[in-house]
Amino acid sequence: DQTAISPILLAQDDKNTYLGKITSGYDSESIFNQYGTYGSEYSSTSIWNQYASFGSEYSSYSPHNSYTSTPPMIVKNRKVLGYLSANKSIQSSITPNLLKALCKDEL
C-alpha cells in the first residue's frame, strides 16, 4: 500500500544517512519517539541530540544550524518533498520545531 508510506529524513552527508520517519511517536523509527533511535536526545542518529552531528546547531548536516546549506531532506516515495532546516533562506523548508508543533496531534 503506497499511500501508507511515511515521509523519512535523510542526511545530505556522503551516505545519505537515514534519520528516521516523520510519523507517530509510537513508531520505533519515528523522529518523535523519545525512546527510539531517531527520536532520543541521546542517540547519535537523532536530530534532537544537540551534541551529535545531526542535531548540533553547528553541524552542517543538522536541521538546527541556521546557516547550513545541507540540512536533512524530507523524502517520500524516493522524491524530495523539502528540507528540515532552521535556515530561512532554504526553499521548501520547515523548521524542526514547527514540524513538531504541526505533528503534535499525531503524537
Side-chain angles (χ1 to χ4, degrees):
D1 180 17
Q2 290 296 315
T3 57
I5 295 174
S6 301
I8 61 169
L9 281 184
L10 295 178
Q12 288 195 71
D13 59 3
D14 58 349
K15 296 181 271 215
N16 282 356
T17 303
Y18 176 72
L19 298 176
K21 292 181 190 172
I22 301 171
T23 183
S24 106
Y26 298 109
D27 188 315
S28 63
E29 291 186 25
S30 173
I31 63 169
F32 301 119
N33 183 335
Q34 61 186 347
Y35 304 106
T37 305
Y38 305 103
S40 166
E41 63 184 285
Y42 306 107
S43 170
S44 64
T45 50
S46 173
I47 62 165
W48 308 113
N49 181 341
Q50 62 183 342
Y51 304 106
S53 297
F54 304 112
S56 163
E57 65 183 282
Y58 306 106
S59 169
S60 59
Y61 303 121
S62 169
H64 303 284
N65 179 335
S66 357
Y67 303 102
T68 186
S69 58
T70 53
M73 301 175 285
I74 301 170
V75 178
K76 184 171 181 177
N77 296 329
R78 297 191 182 137
K79 290 193 180 102
V80 177
L81 300 180
Y83 301 89
L84 190 63
S85 182
N87 183 344
K88 292 178 176 44
S89 66
I90 293 199
Q91 299 265 327
S92 304
S93 70
I94 185 170
T95 66
N97 292 336
L98 180 57
L99 180 67
K100 194 178 219 178
L102 291 171
C103 295
K104 196 173 62 154
D105 297 338
E106 304 297 317
L107 306 179

